[in-house]
Amino acid sequence: MPPVKHYSSSEVNQYELSTRLLSLTENNTSYSLTQINGQRIYRKAPHAWTGPEPSRNCEVFVGRIPHDCFEDTLVPLFRQAGELFEFRLMINFSGWNRGYAFAMYTTEAEASNAIRMFNNYMIRPSWQLGVCPSINNCRIFISRIPPTTPSAEIVRLLYALTDEVQEVRIRRSIASCAAIVEYKSHRGAAMARKALVAAAAAAWGCGARPAVDWSLPQSPQLLKQYREVGRWTPERGVELTRAPEEGGAGAAVAPTAPSYTLEPWSQARRLRMIHEAQRSAAAAANAANEWSTRIANGVDSLMSSMSNLNLSAGLCLEAGERAVWAPPLGAGGGWLGGAAPPRQAARDFNPWTARHPLQEFIAPTKNE
């Protein structure tokens, strides 16, 4: 296998690449190399092939190709599986490949051999190719169509802008509209996709920005959502048919009133949330009550301790000083913490000269 050429610049060196690709046709004159519509085609020349072209089952899809890997590396590699009839590499505007290609062999056995040999093939360190059977995708998906556009106008525009249209399927809702366009061949779908990307926005107008892309393989159940099927012929013009509902065309569907009841699992979940909220509120209330009880008990014990301390006794105070520094009276005029004679403040008491009851325990200052 020839060595892989790496291009480090942002743009491909077209002169060097052309020189490398020219060797493919010079060494084997039974093939031609042409570039058209964003793809470079390496194909058997007309004088080297007689009979019909190979079927679609002879083609394989090659993905995960490095963007700086070209035919001078890929064609000799895939020739090892069998005789190539055509090799199409997708190219972008800058000259790099788009990461995928199509290889068509002359027989189905050679195509199966290529899948077996080159699927997960390590073309570079930590870079594996992906090879699988080619799917003949003939459908284009168009979304974000203005919902006010009539269905007949959508069908007429698609037939006028593209060729090989087989049918148009339309799906509508209150705020959206989408369509799946089926073409007669994959080539017709590819050319239509390229044309619609540039012309769809201008065709619908009114600031519309329709999105055009390949349609994914749709299941039969999903295709039933596209109920309007449109076709156009020069003789009859636009013909629209609507697919029947699930119950059949004549099946009567009883109108269902809107129901606002919850499902059983939703009801149980809501009740569980309500019970949890009620338990949390009860726990918070109990905690608040417990804290208030503790605070009240603490205040009572503090007042009892103050009354038991009896600051007026045993501190070597005079009679007038003991009356001043005695504990406060209760609400009924009695002493807090027990019965005691009422307090009588000395008339000649001077707070500036009175001695503090704990004076002997206080350290003297420098002035003193």
Side-chain angles (χ1 to χ4, degrees), residues 33-42 71 86-92 98 100 102 186-187 190-191 194:
L33 186 64
T34 57
Q35 183 169 345
I36 183 174
N37 296 329
Q39 58 183 342
R40 197 160 43 230
I41 304 174
Y42 179 79
E71 290 89 345
E86 182 182 80
F87 188 90
R88 295 184 290 124
L89 182 65
M90 304 298 124
I91 305 296
N92 57 24
R98 297 183 181 179
Y100 65 96
F102 296 91
H186 174 74
R187 182 180 180 279
M191 299 298 294
K194 184 178 179 181

Side-chain angles (χ1 to χ4, degrees), residues 77-216:
L77 176 65
F78 281 88
R79 274 179 180 169
Q80 299 177 14
E83 184 180 3
L84 280 174
F85 178 81
E86 182 182 80
F87 188 90
R88 295 184 290 124
L89 182 65
M90 304 298 124
I91 305 296
N92 57 24
F93 294 104
S94 61
W96 307 105
N97 71 68
R98 297 183 181 179
Y100 65 96
F102 296 91
M104 178 176 285
Y105 290 88
T106 56
T107 62
E108 296 183 12
E110 293 172 340
S112 301
N113 191 28
I115 296 173
R116 181 181 56 82
M117 291 178 59
F118 300 119
N119 188 31
N120 297 326
Y121 176 80
M122 192 80 68
I123 191 171
R124 290 182 184 174
S126 303
W127 201 306
Q128 295 178 337
L129 295 177
V131 182
C132 62
S134 176
I135 299 175
N136 190 12
N137 194 353
C138 300
R139 292 175 179 170
I140 299 296
F141 175 71
I142 307 175
S143 61
R144 295 191 303 206
I145 300 175
T148 56
T149 307
S151 300
E153 185 66 20
I154 295 175
V155 175
R156 188 179 296 107
L157 279 173
L158 291 173
Y159 270 87
L161 294 175
T162 59
D163 299 327
E164 299 186 15
V165 181
Q166 189 168 355
E167 69 175 13
V168 180
R169 292 176 174 264
I170 302 172
R171 181 188 64 186
R172 288 186 177 275
S173 64
I174 297 176
S176 64
C177 180
I180 291 180
V181 190
E182 187 166 352
Y183 293 86
K184 297 178 181 178
S185 64
H186 174 74
R187 182 180 180 279
M191 299 298 294
R193 176 176 175 269
K194 184 178 179 181
L196 289 174
V197 167
W204 271 288
C206 301
R209 294 181 178 228
V212 182
D213 204 349
W214 290 104
S215 175
L216 297 176

Side-chain angles (χ1 to χ4, degrees), residues 17 83 88 92 229 240 245 249 271 281-282 297 299 351:
L17 179 60
E83 184 180 3
R88 295 184 290 124
N92 57 24
V229 181
L240 285 174
E245 301 290 339
L271 290 176
N297 295 336
V299 171

Side-chain angles (χ1 to χ4, degrees), residues 243-256:
E245 301 290 339
E246 291 294 332
V253 181
T256 58

Side-chain angles (χ1 to χ4, degrees), residues 232-367:
W232 178 88
T233 55
E235 297 81 10
R236 300 182 179 180
V238 178
E239 295 180 350
L240 285 174
T241 58
R242 186 171 180 84
E245 301 290 339
E246 291 294 332
V253 181
T256 58
S259 176
Y260 300 98
T261 59
L262 297 175
E263 296 294 334
W265 64 269
S266 182
Q267 292 179 356
R269 181 172 177 269
R270 175 168 291 187
L271 290 176
R272 185 168 60 253
M273 293 175 63
I274 292 173
H275 293 162
E276 290 178 359
Q278 290 176 350
R279 285 196 297 268
S280 300
N286 293 336
N289 293 335
E290 184 179 355
W291 275 106
S292 61
T293 303
R294 288 184 181 181
I295 292 173
N297 295 336
V299 171
D300 294 341
S301 61
L302 178 61
M303 299 306 296
S304 300
S305 301
M306 291 177 62
S307 62
N308 295 333
L309 186 58
N310 194 5
L311 295 177
S312 62
L315 297 178
C316 302
L317 299 178
E318 300 296 337
E321 294 174 344
R322 284 198 302 269
V324 172
W325 298 108
L329 294 175
W335 290 65
L336 291 177
R343 183 179 64 181
Q344 295 179 358
R347 296 182 179 179
D348 56 350
F349 172 71
N350 187 354
W352 301 104
T353 60
R355 190 168 48 138
H356 195 276
L358 301 178
Q359 184 67 35
E360 58 180 330
F361 300 104
I362 300 175
T365 60
K366 291 182 179 181
N367 296 333

